[in-house]
Coordinates of all heavy atoms in Angstrom, one line a residue:
M1 N 51.6 -14.4 -26.5 CA 52.3 -15.0 -25.4 C 53.7 -15.0 -25.5 O 54.3 -15.4 -26.5 CB 51.8 -16.5 -25.4 CG 52.1 -17.3 -24.2 SD 51.1 -16.8 -22.7 CE 51.7 -18.0 -21.5
P2 N 54.5 -14.4 -24.5 CA 55.9 -14.3 -24.6 C 56.6 -15.7 -24.4 O 56.0 -16.5 -23.8 CB 56.2 -13.3 -23.4 CG 55.1 -13.4 -22.5 CD 53.9 -13.8 -23.3
D3 N 57.8 -15.7 -25.0 CA 58.6 -16.9 -24.8 C 59.0 -17.1 -23.4 O 59.1 -16.1 -22.7 CB 59.7 -17.0 -25.8 CG 59.2 -16.9 -27.3 OD1 58.0 -17.2 -27.5 OD2 60.1 -16.4 -28.1
A4 N 59.4 -18.3 -23.0 CA 59.9 -18.6 -21.6 C 61.1 -17.7 -21.2 O 61.2 -17.4 -20.1 CB 60.2 -20.0 -21.5
N5 N 61.9 -17.4 -22.2 CA 63.1 -16.5 -21.8 C 62.9 -15.1 -21.9 O 63.8 -14.2 -22.0 CB 64.3 -17.0 -22.7 CG 64.0 -16.7 -24.2 OD1 63.0 -16.5 -24.6 ND2 65.1 -16.7 -25.0
M6 N 61.6 -14.7 -22.1 CA 61.3 -13.2 -22.3 C 60.9 -12.6 -20.9 O 59.9 -13.2 -20.3 CB 60.2 -13.0 -23.3 CG 60.8 -13.4 -24.7 SD 59.5 -13.2 -26.0 CE 59.4 -11.5 -26.2
L7 N 61.4 -11.6 -20.5 CA 61.0 -10.9 -19.3 C 60.3 -9.6 -19.6 O 60.9 -8.7 -20.3 CB 62.3 -10.6 -18.4 CG 62.0 -9.7 -17.2 CD1 61.3 -10.6 -16.1 CD2 63.3 -9.3 -16.6
F8 N 59.1 -9.5 -19.1 CA 58.3 -8.3 -19.4 C 58.9 -7.1 -18.7 O 59.2 -7.3 -17.4 CB 56.9 -8.5 -18.9 CG 56.1 -7.2 -19.1 CD1 55.6 -6.7 -20.3 CD2 55.8 -6.4 -17.9 CE1 54.9 -5.5 -20.3 CE2 55.0 -5.3 -18.0 CZ 54.6 -4.8 -19.2
L9 N 59.2 -6.0 -19.4 CA 59.8 -4.9 -18.7 C 58.8 -3.8 -18.4 O 58.8 -3.2 -17.3 CB 61.0 -4.4 -19.6 CG 62.1 -5.3 -19.9 CD1 63.1 -4.7 -20.9 CD2 62.9 -5.7 -18.5
C10 N 58.1 -3.4 -19.4 CA 57.1 -2.3 -19.3 C 56.3 -2.2 -20.6 O 56.6 -2.8 -21.5 CB 58.0 -1.0 -19.0 SG 59.1 -0.5 -20.4
K11 N 55.5 -1.2 -20.5 CA 54.7 -0.8 -21.7 C 55.5 0.3 -22.4 O 56.2 1.1 -21.8 CB 53.4 -0.3 -21.3 CG 52.4 -1.3 -20.8 CD 51.9 -2.2 -21.8 CE 50.7 -3.1 -21.3 NZ 50.3 -4.1 -22.4
T12 N 55.4 0.4 -23.7 CA 56.2 1.4 -24.4 C 55.8 2.8 -23.9 O 56.6 3.7 -23.9 CB 55.9 1.3 -25.9 OG1 54.5 1.4 -26.2 CG2 56.5 0.1 -26.6
S13 N 54.5 2.9 -23.5 CA 54.1 4.3 -23.0 C 54.6 4.6 -21.6 O 54.5 5.7 -21.1 CB 52.6 4.3 -23.0 OG 52.0 3.2 -22.2
D14 N 55.3 3.6 -20.9 CA 55.8 3.8 -19.6 C 57.0 4.6 -19.6 O 57.4 5.1 -18.5 CB 56.1 2.5 -18.8 CG 54.8 1.7 -18.5 OD1 53.7 2.4 -18.4 OD2 54.8 0.5 -18.3
L15 N 57.7 4.7 -20.7 CA 59.1 5.2 -20.8 C 59.2 6.2 -22.0 O 59.2 5.8 -23.1 CB 60.0 4.1 -20.9 CG 61.5 4.2 -20.4 CD1 61.5 4.7 -18.9 CD2 62.2 3.0 -20.5
S16 N 59.3 7.5 -21.7 CA 59.4 8.5 -22.7 C 60.8 8.4 -23.3 O 61.8 8.0 -22.6 CB 59.2 9.8 -22.1 OG 58.1 9.9 -21.3
P17 N 61.0 9.0 -24.5 CA 62.3 9.1 -25.1 C 63.2 9.9 -24.2 O 62.9 10.9 -23.6 CB 62.1 9.8 -26.4 CG 60.7 9.4 -26.8 CD 59.9 9.3 -25.4
G18 N 64.4 9.4 -23.9 CA 65.3 10.0 -23.0 C 65.2 9.6 -21.5 O 66.0 10.1 -20.6
A19 N 64.3 8.7 -21.2 CA 64.1 8.2 -19.9 C 64.6 6.8 -19.6 O 64.8 6.0 -20.5 CB 62.6 8.3 -19.5
V20 N 64.8 6.6 -18.3 CA 65.4 5.3 -17.9 C 64.5 4.9 -16.6 O 64.1 5.7 -15.9 CB 66.9 5.4 -17.5 CG1 67.2 6.4 -16.5 CG2 67.3 4.0 -17.0
M21 N 64.3 3.5 -16.5 CA 63.5 3.1 -15.3 C 64.1 1.9 -14.9 O 64.8 1.1 -15.6 CB 62.1 3.0 -15.5 CG 61.7 1.9 -16.6 SD 60.0 1.8 -17.0 CE 59.3 0.9 -15.5
Q22 N 63.9 1.5 -13.5 CA 64.4 0.2 -13.0 C 63.3 -0.8 -13.1 O 62.1 -0.5 -12.8 CB 64.8 0.5 -11.5 CG 65.4 -0.7 -10.9 CD 65.5 -0.6 -9.3 OE1 64.5 -0.5 -8.6 NE2 66.7 -0.6 -8.9
V23 N 63.6 -2.0 -13.4 CA 62.7 -3.1 -13.3 C 63.3 -4.2 -12.4 O 64.4 -4.7 -12.6 CB 62.5 -3.7 -14.7 CG1 61.6 -5.0 -14.6 CG2 61.7 -2.7 -15.6
E24 N 62.7 -4.4 -11.3 CA 63.2 -5.4 -10.3 C 62.9 -6.8 -10.7 O 61.9 -7.1 -11.5 CB 62.5 -5.1 -9.0 CG 62.8 -3.8 -8.5 CD 62.9 -3.7 -6.9 OE1 63.2 -4.7 -6.4 OE2 62.7 -2.6 -6.5
R25 N 63.8 -7.6 -10.4 CA 63.7 -9.1 -10.5 C 64.6 -9.8 -9.5 O 65.6 -9.1 -9.0 CB 63.9 -9.6 -11.9 CG 65.4 -9.4 -12.3 CD 65.7 -9.9 -13.7 NE 67.1 -9.8 -13.9 CZ 67.9 -10.8 -14.5 NH1 67.4 -11.9 -14.9 NH2 69.2 -10.6 -14.6
P26 N 64.3 -11.0 -9.0 CA 65.0 -11.6 -8.0 C 66.6 -11.8 -8.3 O 67.4 -11.7 -7.4 CB 64.4 -13.0 -7.8 CG 63.0 -12.9 -8.4 CD 63.1 -11.9 -9.5
E27 N 66.9 -11.9 -9.5 CA 68.3 -12.2 -9.9 C 69.1 -10.9 -10.0 O 70.2 -10.8 -10.2 CB 68.4 -12.9 -11.3 CG 67.7 -14.2 -11.3 CD 66.2 -14.1 -11.6 OE1 65.7 -13.0 -11.7 OE2 65.6 -15.2 -11.8
G28 N 68.4 -9.8 -9.8 CA 69.1 -8.4 -9.9 C 68.3 -7.6 -10.9 O 67.8 -8.0 -11.9
A29 N 68.1 -6.3 -10.5 CA 67.3 -5.4 -11.3 C 67.9 -5.0 -12.6 O 69.1 -5.1 -12.8 CB 67.1 -4.1 -10.5
L30 N 67.1 -4.7 -13.5 CA 67.5 -4.3 -14.9 C 67.2 -2.7 -15.0 O 66.3 -2.3 -14.3 CB 66.9 -5.0 -16.1 CG 67.0 -6.5 -16.1 CD1 66.4 -7.0 -17.4 CD2 68.4 -6.9 -16.0
A31 N 67.9 -2.1 -15.8 CA 67.6 -0.7 -16.2 C 67.1 -0.8 -17.6 O 67.7 -1.5 -18.5 CB 68.9 0.2 -16.0
V32 N 66.0 -0.1 -17.9 CA 65.4 0.0 -19.2 C 65.5 1.4 -19.7 O 65.2 2.3 -18.9 CB 64.0 -0.5 -19.2 CG1 63.5 -0.6 -20.6 CG2 63.8 -1.9 -18.5
Y33 N 65.9 1.5 -20.9 CA 66.1 2.9 -21.5 C 65.3 3.0 -22.8 O 65.1 2.1 -23.5 CB 67.6 3.0 -21.9 CG 68.6 2.7 -20.9 CD1 69.0 1.3 -20.7 CD2 69.1 3.6 -20.0 CE1 69.9 0.9 -19.8 CE2 70.1 3.1 -19.0 CZ 70.5 1.8 -19.0 OH 71.4 1.4 -18.0
N34 N 64.8 4.2 -22.9 CA 64.2 4.7 -24.2 C 65.2 5.7 -24.9 O 65.3 6.8 -24.4 CB 62.8 5.2 -24.0 CG 62.1 5.6 -25.3 OD1 62.8 5.9 -26.3 ND2 60.8 5.7 -25.3
L35 N 65.9 5.3 -26.0 CA 66.7 6.2 -26.6 C 66.0 6.5 -27.9 O 66.0 5.7 -28.9 CB 68.1 5.6 -26.9 CG 69.1 5.4 -25.8 CD1 70.4 4.8 -26.4 CD2 69.3 6.6 -25.1
D36 N 65.5 7.7 -28.1 CA 64.8 8.1 -29.3 C 63.8 7.1 -29.9 O 63.8 6.8 -31.0 CB 65.8 8.4 -30.4 CG 66.8 9.5 -30.0 OD1 66.3 10.5 -29.3 OD2 68.0 9.6 -30.4
G37 N 63.1 6.4 -28.9 CA 62.0 5.6 -29.3 C 62.4 4.2 -29.4 O 61.6 3.2 -29.7
K38 N 63.7 3.9 -29.3 CA 64.2 2.5 -29.3 C 64.6 2.1 -27.8 O 65.2 2.9 -27.1 CB 65.4 2.4 -30.2 CG 65.7 0.9 -30.5 CD 66.5 0.8 -31.8 CE 66.8 -0.7 -32.1 NZ 68.0 -0.9 -32.8
F39 N 64.3 0.8 -27.5 CA 64.4 0.4 -26.1 C 65.6 -0.4 -26.0 O 66.0 -1.3 -26.8 CB 63.1 -0.3 -25.7 CG 61.9 0.5 -25.6 CD1 61.1 0.8 -26.7 CD2 61.6 1.1 -24.3 CE1 60.0 1.6 -26.6 CE2 60.5 2.0 -24.3 CZ 59.8 2.2 -25.4
Y40 N 66.3 -0.3 -24.8 CA 67.5 -1.1 -24.5 C 67.4 -1.5 -22.9 O 66.7 -0.8 -22.2 CB 68.8 -0.3 -24.6 CG 69.0 0.2 -26.0 CD1 68.4 1.4 -26.5 CD2 69.6 -0.6 -27.0 CE1 68.5 1.8 -27.8 CE2 69.8 -0.2 -28.3 CZ 69.3 1.0 -28.7 OH 69.3 1.4 -30.0
A41 N 68.2 -2.6 -22.6 CA 68.2 -3.0 -21.3 C 69.6 -3.4 -20.8 O 70.3 -3.9 -21.6 CB 67.2 -4.2 -21.0
T42 N 69.9 -3.0 -19.6 CA 71.2 -3.5 -19.0 C 71.0 -3.9 -17.6 O 69.9 -3.6 -17.1 CB 72.3 -2.3 -19.0 OG1 71.9 -1.3 -18.1 CG2 72.4 -1.7 -20.4
D43 N 72.0 -4.4 -17.0 CA 71.9 -4.6 -15.5 C 71.8 -3.1 -14.9 O 72.3 -2.2 -15.5 CB 73.2 -5.2 -14.9 CG 73.2 -6.8 -15.1 OD1 72.1 -7.3 -15.3 OD2 74.3 -7.3 -15.1
D44 N 71.1 -3.1 -13.8 CA 70.8 -1.8 -13.2 C 71.9 -1.3 -12.3 O 72.2 -0.2 -12.1 CB 69.5 -1.8 -12.4 CG 69.2 -0.4 -11.8 OD1 69.2 0.6 -12.6 OD2 68.9 -0.4 -10.6
R45 N 72.6 -2.3 -11.7 CA 73.7 -2.0 -10.8 C 74.9 -1.5 -11.5 O 75.5 -2.3 -12.3 CB 74.0 -3.1 -9.9 CG 75.0 -2.9 -8.8 CD 75.3 -4.0 -7.9 NE 74.3 -4.2 -7.0 CZ 74.4 -4.9 -6.0 NH1 75.4 -5.7 -5.8 NH2 73.4 -5.1 -5.1
C46 N 75.5 -0.3 -11.2 CA 76.7 0.1 -11.7 C 77.8 -0.9 -11.4 O 77.9 -1.4 -10.2 CB 77.0 1.5 -11.1 SG 78.5 2.2 -11.7
T47 N 78.7 -1.1 -12.3 CA 79.8 -2.1 -12.1 C 80.8 -1.4 -11.2 O 81.8 -2.1 -10.8 CB 80.4 -2.6 -13.4 OG1 80.9 -1.5 -14.1 CG2 79.4 -3.3 -14.2
H48 N 80.8 -0.1 -10.9 CA 81.7 0.5 -10.0 C 81.3 0.4 -8.5 O 82.2 0.5 -7.7 CB 82.0 1.9 -10.4 CG 82.9 2.6 -9.6 ND1 82.6 3.6 -8.7 CD2 84.3 2.5 -9.4 CE1 83.6 4.1 -8.0 NE2 84.7 3.4 -8.5
G49 N 80.1 0.3 -8.3 CA 79.6 0.3 -6.9 C 78.2 -0.2 -6.9 O 77.8 -1.1 -7.6
L50 N 77.5 0.3 -5.9 CA 76.2 -0.3 -5.7 C 75.0 0.6 -6.1 O 73.8 0.3 -5.9 CB 76.0 -0.5 -4.1 CG 77.0 -1.5 -3.5 CD1 76.7 -1.6 -2.0 CD2 76.9 -2.8 -4.2
S51 N 75.4 1.6 -6.9 CA 74.4 2.6 -7.3 C 73.5 2.0 -8.4 O 73.8 1.2 -9.3 CB 75.1 3.8 -7.9 OG 74.1 4.8 -8.2
S52 N 72.2 2.5 -8.4 CA 71.2 2.1 -9.4 C 71.4 3.0 -10.6 O 71.3 4.2 -10.4 CB 69.8 2.2 -8.8 OG 68.9 2.3 -9.9
L53 N 71.6 2.5 -11.8 CA 71.8 3.3 -12.9 C 70.5 4.0 -13.3 O 70.6 5.1 -14.0 CB 72.4 2.6 -14.1 CG 73.8 2.1 -13.9 CD1 74.3 1.2 -14.9 CD2 74.8 3.3 -13.7
A54 N 69.4 3.5 -12.9 CA 68.1 4.1 -13.2 C 68.0 5.5 -12.5 O 67.1 6.2 -12.9 CB 66.9 3.2 -12.8
D55 N 68.8 5.7 -11.4 CA 68.9 7.0 -10.8 C 69.7 8.0 -11.6 O 69.8 9.1 -11.1 CB 69.4 6.8 -9.4 CG 68.5 6.1 -8.5 OD1 67.2 6.1 -8.8 OD2 68.9 5.5 -7.4
G56 N 70.4 7.4 -12.6 CA 71.4 8.3 -13.4 C 70.7 9.1 -14.5 O 69.4 9.2 -14.5
E57 N 71.5 9.7 -15.3 CA 71.0 10.6 -16.3 C 71.5 10.1 -17.7 O 72.7 9.8 -17.8 CB 71.5 12.0 -16.1 CG 70.8 13.0 -17.0 CD 71.3 14.4 -16.6 OE1 71.9 14.6 -15.7 OE2 70.9 15.3 -17.4
I58 N 70.6 10.1 -18.7 CA 71.0 9.7 -20.0 C 71.6 11.0 -20.7 O 70.9 12.0 -20.8 CB 69.9 9.2 -20.9 CG1 69.4 7.8 -20.2 CG2 70.2 9.0 -22.3 CD1 68.1 7.3 -20.9
I59 N 72.8 10.8 -21.2 CA 73.4 11.9 -22.0 C 74.1 11.4 -23.2 O 75.0 10.6 -23.1 CB 74.5 12.6 -21.1 CG1 73.9 13.1 -19.8 CG2 75.2 13.8 -21.9 CD1 74.9 13.6 -18.7
D60 N 73.6 11.8 -24.4 CA 74.2 11.4 -25.6 C 74.5 9.8 -25.8 O 75.5 9.4 -26.1 CB 75.5 12.1 -25.8 CG 75.4 13.6 -26.0 OD1 74.3 14.0 -26.5 OD2 76.3 14.3 -25.7
G61 N 73.4 9.1 -25.4 CA 73.5 7.6 -25.5 C 74.2 6.9 -24.5 O 74.5 5.7 -24.5
E62 N 74.7 7.7 -23.4 CA 75.3 7.1 -22.3 C 74.5 7.2 -21.1 O 73.7 8.2 -20.9 CB 76.7 7.7 -22.0 CG 77.6 7.5 -23.3 CD 79.0 8.2 -23.1 OE1 79.2 8.8 -22.0 OE2 79.7 8.2 -24.0
I63 N 74.6 6.3 -20.1 CA 74.0 6.5 -18.8 C 75.1 6.9 -17.8 O 76.1 6.3 -17.7 CB 73.3 5.2 -18.3 CG1 72.6 5.4 -17.0 CG2 74.2 4.0 -18.3 CD1 71.4 6.4 -17.0
E64 N 74.9 8.1 -17.3 CA 75.8 8.6 -16.3 C 75.3 8.2 -14.9 O 74.2 8.5 -14.4 CB 75.9 10.1 -16.3 CG 76.9 10.7 -15.4 CD 76.8 12.2 -15.4 OE1 75.9 12.9 -14.9 OE2 77.8 12.8 -16.0
C65 N 76.2 7.6 -14.2 CA 75.9 7.1 -12.8 C 75.8 8.2 -11.9 O 76.7 9.2 -11.9 CB 77.0 6.1 -12.3 SG 76.7 5.5 -10.6
S66 N 74.7 8.2 -11.0 CA 74.5 9.4 -10.1 C 75.5 9.4 -9.0 O 75.6 10.3 -8.2 CB 73.1 9.3 -9.6 OG 72.9 8.1 -8.8
M67 N 76.3 8.2 -8.7 CA 77.1 8.2 -7.6 C 78.5 8.9 -7.7 O 78.8 9.8 -7.0 CB 77.3 6.7 -7.2 CG 78.1 6.5 -5.9 SD 77.1 6.9 -4.4 CE 76.2 5.4 -4.3
H68 N 79.2 8.4 -8.7 CA 80.5 9.1 -9.0 C 80.6 9.6 -10.4 O 81.7 9.9 -10.9 CB 81.7 8.0 -8.8 CG 81.6 7.4 -7.4 ND1 81.2 6.1 -7.2 CD2 81.8 7.9 -6.1 CE1 81.2 5.8 -5.9 NE2 81.5 6.8 -5.2
F69 N 79.5 9.6 -11.2 CA 79.5 10.2 -12.4 C 80.3 9.5 -13.5 O 80.6 10.1 -14.5 CB 79.8 11.7 -12.4 CG 78.9 12.3 -11.3 CD1 79.5 12.8 -10.2 CD2 77.6 12.6 -11.5 CE1 78.7 13.4 -9.1 CE2 76.8 13.2 -10.6 CZ 77.4 13.6 -9.4
G70 N 80.6 8.2 -13.3 CA 81.1 7.4 -14.4 C 80.0 7.2 -15.4 O 78.8 7.4 -15.1
S71 N 80.3 6.7 -16.6 CA 79.2 6.4 -17.5 C 79.4 5.2 -18.4 O 80.6 4.7 -18.5 CB 79.0 7.6 -18.4 OG 80.1 7.8 -19.2
F72 N 78.4 4.7 -19.0 CA 78.5 3.5 -19.9 C 77.7 3.8 -21.2 O 76.7 4.5 -21.1 CB 77.7 2.3 -19.2 CG 78.3 1.9 -17.9 CD1 77.9 2.6 -16.7 CD2 79.3 0.9 -17.9 CE1 78.4 2.1 -15.5 CE2 79.9 0.6 -16.6 CZ 79.4 1.2 -15.4
D73 N 78.2 3.2 -22.2 CA 77.4 3.2 -23.5 C 76.1 2.3 -23.3 O 76.3 1.1 -22.9 CB 78.3 2.7 -24.7 CG 77.5 2.8 -26.0 OD1 76.6 2.1 -26.2 OD2 78.1 3.5 -26.9
I74 N 75.0 2.9 -23.4 CA 73.8 2.1 -23.2 C 73.6 1.0 -24.2 O 73.1 -0.1 -23.8 CB 72.5 3.1 -23.3 CG1 72.6 4.0 -22.1 CG2 71.2 2.3 -23.3 CD1 71.6 5.1 -22.2
V75 N 74.0 1.1 -25.4 CA 73.8 0.0 -26.4 C 74.8 -1.1 -26.2 O 74.4 -2.3 -26.3 CB 74.0 0.7 -27.9 CG1 73.8 -0.4 -28.9 CG2 72.9 1.8 -28.1
T76 N 76.0 -0.8 -25.9 CA 77.0 -1.8 -25.9 C 77.4 -2.2 -24.4 O 78.0 -3.3 -24.2 CB 78.3 -1.4 -26.6 OG1 78.9 -0.3 -25.8 CG2 78.1 -0.9 -28.0
G77 N 77.1 -1.3 -23.4 CA 77.4 -1.6 -22.1 C 78.9 -1.2 -21.8 O 79.3 -1.4 -20.6
Q78 N 79.6 -0.8 -22.7 CA 81.0 -0.5 -22.5 C 81.2 0.7 -21.6 O 80.5 1.8 -21.8 CB 81.8 -0.3 -23.8 CG 81.9 -1.6 -24.6 CD 82.7 -2.6 -23.9 OE1 83.8 -2.4 -23.4 NE2 82.1 -3.8 -23.8
P79 N 82.2 0.8 -20.7 CA 82.4 1.9 -19.9 C 83.0 3.0 -20.7 O 83.8 2.8 -21.7 CB 83.5 1.4 -18.9 CG 84.2 0.3 -19.5 CD 83.1 -0.4 -20.4
R80 N 82.5 4.3 -20.5 CA 82.9 5.5 -21.3 C 83.6 6.5 -20.4 O 84.2 7.4 -20.9 CB 81.6 6.0 -21.9 CG 81.1 5.2 -23.1 CD 82.0 5.2 -24.3 NE 81.5 4.4 -25.4 CZ 82.2 3.4 -25.9 NH1 83.4 3.0 -25.4 NH2 81.7 2.7 -26.9
Q81 N 83.3 6.5 -19.1 CA 83.8 7.6 -18.3 C 84.3 6.9 -17.0 O 83.5 6.2 -16.4 CB 82.8 8.7 -18.0 CG 83.2 9.9 -17.2 CD 84.2 10.7 -17.9 OE1 84.1 11.0 -19.1 NE2 85.3 11.0 -17.1
S82 N 85.5 7.3 -16.6 CA 86.0 6.9 -15.2 C 85.1 7.4 -14.2 O 84.5 8.5 -14.3 CB 87.5 7.4 -15.2 OG 88.1 7.2 -13.9
P83 N 85.0 6.7 -13.1 CA 85.8 5.5 -12.6 C 85.2 4.2 -13.1 O 85.7 3.2 -12.6 CB 85.7 5.6 -11.1 CG 84.4 6.2 -10.8 CD 84.1 7.2 -11.9
C84 N 84.3 4.1 -14.0 CA 83.7 2.9 -14.5 C 84.7 2.2 -15.4 O 85.2 2.9 -16.3 CB 82.4 3.1 -15.2 SG 81.1 3.8 -14.1
S85 N 85.0 1.0 -15.2 CA 86.0 0.3 -16.1 C 85.6 -1.0 -16.5 O 86.2 -1.7 -17.4 CB 87.4 0.2 -15.4 OG 87.3 -0.5 -14.2
V86 N 84.5 -1.5 -15.9 CA 84.0 -2.9 -16.2 C 82.7 -2.7 -16.9 O 81.8 -2.0 -16.5 CB 83.9 -3.7 -14.9 CG1 83.2 -5.1 -15.2 CG2 85.1 -3.9 -14.2
A87 N 82.5 -3.5 -18.1 CA 81.4 -3.3 -18.9 C 80.1 -3.8 -18.1 O 80.2 -4.7 -17.3 CB 81.5 -4.1 -20.2
L88 N 79.0 -3.1 -18.5 CA 77.6 -3.6 -18.1 C 77.2 -4.7 -18.9 O 77.4 -4.7 -20.1 CB 76.7 -2.4 -18.2 CG 76.4 -1.3 -17.2 CD1 75.3 -0.5 -17.8 CD2 76.0 -2.0 -15.9
R89 N 76.4 -5.7 -18.2 CA 75.8 -6.6 -19.1 C 74.6 -6.0 -19.7 O 73.8 -5.2 -19.1 CB 75.3 -7.8 -18.2 CG 74.6 -8.8 -19.0 CD 74.3 -10.0 -18.1 NE 73.7 -11.1 -19.0 CZ 73.1 -12.2 -18.5 NH1 73.2 -12.5 -17.3 NH2 72.6 -13.1 -19.3
T90 N 74.5 -6.3 -21.0 CA 73.3 -5.8 -21.8 C 72.4 -7.0 -22.2 O 72.9 -8.1 -22.2 CB 73.8 -5.1 -23.0 OG1 74.5 -6.0 -23.9 CG2 74.7 -3.9 -22.7
Y91 N 71.2 -6.7 -22.5 CA 70.2 -7.7 -22.8 C 69.5 -7.3 -24.2 O 69.1 -6.1 -24.3 CB 69.1 -7.8 -21.7 CG 69.7 -8.3 -20.4 CD1 70.3 -7.2 -19.6 CD2 69.8 -9.6 -20.0 CE1 70.8 -7.6 -18.4 CE2 70.4 -9.9 -18.8 CZ 70.9 -8.9 -18.0 OH 71.5 -9.3 -16.8
P92 N 69.3 -8.3 -25.0 CA 68.4 -7.9 -26.2 C 67.1 -7.5 -25.8 O 66.6 -8.1 -24.8 CB 68.5 -9.3 -27.0 CG 69.6 -10.1 -26.4 CD 69.8 -9.7 -25.0
V93 N 66.5 -6.6 -26.5 CA 65.1 -6.2 -26.2 C 64.2 -6.4 -27.3 O 64.6 -6.3 -28.5 CB 65.1 -4.7 -25.9 CG1 63.7 -4.1 -25.8 CG2 65.8 -4.5 -24.5
E94 N 63.0 -6.9 -27.1 CA 62.1 -7.2 -28.2 C 60.7 -6.4 -27.8 O 60.3 -6.5 -26.6 CB 61.8 -8.6 -28.3 CG 60.9 -8.9 -29.5 CD 60.8 -10.5 -29.7 OE1 61.9 -11.2 -29.7 OE2 59.7 -10.9 -30.2
V95 N 60.2 -5.7 -28.7 CA 58.9 -5.0 -28.5 C 57.9 -5.8 -29.3 O 57.9 -6.0 -30.4 CB 58.9 -3.6 -29.0 CG1 57.6 -2.9 -28.8 CG2 60.0 -2.8 -28.2
R96 N 56.8 -6.2 -28.5 CA 55.7 -6.9 -29.2 C 54.4 -6.1 -28.9 O 54.0 -6.0 -27.7 CB 55.5 -8.3 -28.6 CG 56.6 -9.2 -29.0 CD 56.2 -10.7 -28.8 NE 57.2 -11.6 -29.2 CZ 57.2 -13.0 -29.0 NH1 56.2 -13.5 -28.4 NH2 58.2 -13.7 -29.5
G97 N 53.9 -5.5 -29.9 CA 52.7 -4.6 -29.7 C 53.2 -3.4 -28.9 O 54.2 -2.7 -29.3
D98 N 52.6 -3.2 -27.7 CA 53.2 -2.1 -26.9 C 53.8 -2.7 -25.6 O 54.0 -1.9 -24.6 CB 52.1 -1.1 -26.6 CG 50.9 -1.7 -25.8 OD1 50.9 -2.9 -25.7 OD2 50.0 -1.0 -25.4
D99 N 54.2 -4.0 -25.6 CA 54.9 -4.5 -24.6 C 56.4 -4.7 -24.8 O 56.8 -5.1 -26.0 CB 54.4 -6.0 -24.2 CG 53.0 -5.9 -23.7 OD1 52.6 -4.9 -23.1 OD2 52.3 -7.0 -23.9
V100 N 57.2 -4.3 -23.8 CA 58.7 -4.4 -24.0 C 59.3 -5.5 -23.2 O 59.0 -5.6 -22.0 CB 59.3 -3.0 -23.5 CG1 60.8 -3.0 -23.8 CG2 58.7 -1.8 -24.3
F101 N 60.1 -6.4 -23.9 CA 60.6 -7.5 -23.2 C 62.1 -7.5 -23.3 O 62.6 -7.1 -24.3 CB 60.1 -8.8 -23.8 CG 58.6 -9.1 -23.7 CD1 57.8 -8.5 -24.7 CD2 58.1 -9.7 -22.6 CE1 56.3 -8.8 -24.6 CE2 56.7 -9.9 -22.6 CZ 55.8 -9.5 -23.6
A102 N 62.8 -8.0 -22.3 CA 64.2 -8.4 -22.4 C 64.3 -9.9 -22.6 O 63.5 -10.6 -22.1 CB 65.0 -8.1 -21.1
I103 N 65.3 -10.3 -23.5 CA 65.5 -11.6 -23.7 C 66.6 -12.0 -22.7 O 67.8 -11.5 -22.8 CB 66.1 -11.9 -25.1 CG1 65.1 -11.2 -26.1 CG2 66.2 -13.4 -25.4 CD1 63.7 -11.7 -26.2
I104 N 66.2 -13.0 -21.8 CA 67.1 -13.3 -20.7 C 67.7 -14.8 -21.1 O 66.9 -15.8 -21.1 CB 66.4 -13.4 -19.4 CG1 65.7 -12.1 -19.1 CG2 67.4 -13.9 -18.3 CD1 66.7 -10.9 -18.9
A105 N 68.9 -14.9 -21.4 CA 69.5 -16.1 -21.8 C 69.7 -17.1 -20.6 O 69.8 -16.6 -19.5 CB 70.9 -16.0 -22.5
Ligands
LIG1 S1 79.0 3.6 -8.3 FE1 78.6 4.2 -10.3 S2 80.4 5.4 -10.8 FE2 80.8 4.7 -8.8

């Protein structure tokens, strides 16, 4: 049974290594990433505009936004490529069995 602050994101089998997907929620969608078998979560909306980062491409541990091709470090949320300059919010991720959860504070 997940804790109250845990948001179910997906099954581990839903996301192949190198893939990203969007998980909707009323407070704002999250983007979930599989980097070499480890899962990460950030806000899905690019801090530069309204683009969904789940539409972007993962390149060397960064998510490249499909709108203006700025990028963020997926682990830290720090902007890596202009025009992105504001960090993305990141969320701790916990895997229980084959369920992937974000810890929402
Ligand atoms: S909306 Fe993402 S880089 Fe501009």
Side-chain angles (χ1 to χ4, degrees):
M1 188 75 174
D3 300 340
N5 64 341
M6 295 174 75
L7 174 71
F8 174 76
L9 298 173
C10 63
K11 294 286 193 186
T12 54
S13 58
D14 291 337
L15 205 53
S16 314
V20 55
M21 66 182 283
Q22 184 191 64
V23 175
E24 298 215 22
R25 64 175 186 139
E27 302 84 355
L30 301 188
V32 187
Y33 311 84
N34 181 335
L35 290 184
D36 297 327
K38 194 156 182 211
F39 292 85
Y40 298 90
T42 70
D43 280 338
D44 182 53
R45 180 180 285 189
C46 181
T47 60
H48 179 250
L50 300 179
S51 185
S52 164
L53 291 171
D55 292 336
E57 188 176 354
I58 296 175
I59 303 170
D60 293 335
E62 298 178 6
I63 181 69
E64 182 185 75
C65 180
S66 62
M67 184 73 78
H68 306 109
F69 307 108
S71 69
F72 302 89
D73 184 297
I74 290 168
V75 177
T76 66
Q78 290 301 309
R80 289 289 180 241
Q81 179 67 43
S82 176
C84 300
S85 60
V86 176
L88 271 181
R89 183 173 178 187
T90 61
Y91 299 85
V93 169
E94 186 169 323
V95 178
R96 287 192 179 178
D98 59 355
D99 293 336
V100 182
F101 297 91
I103 311 299
I104 306 292

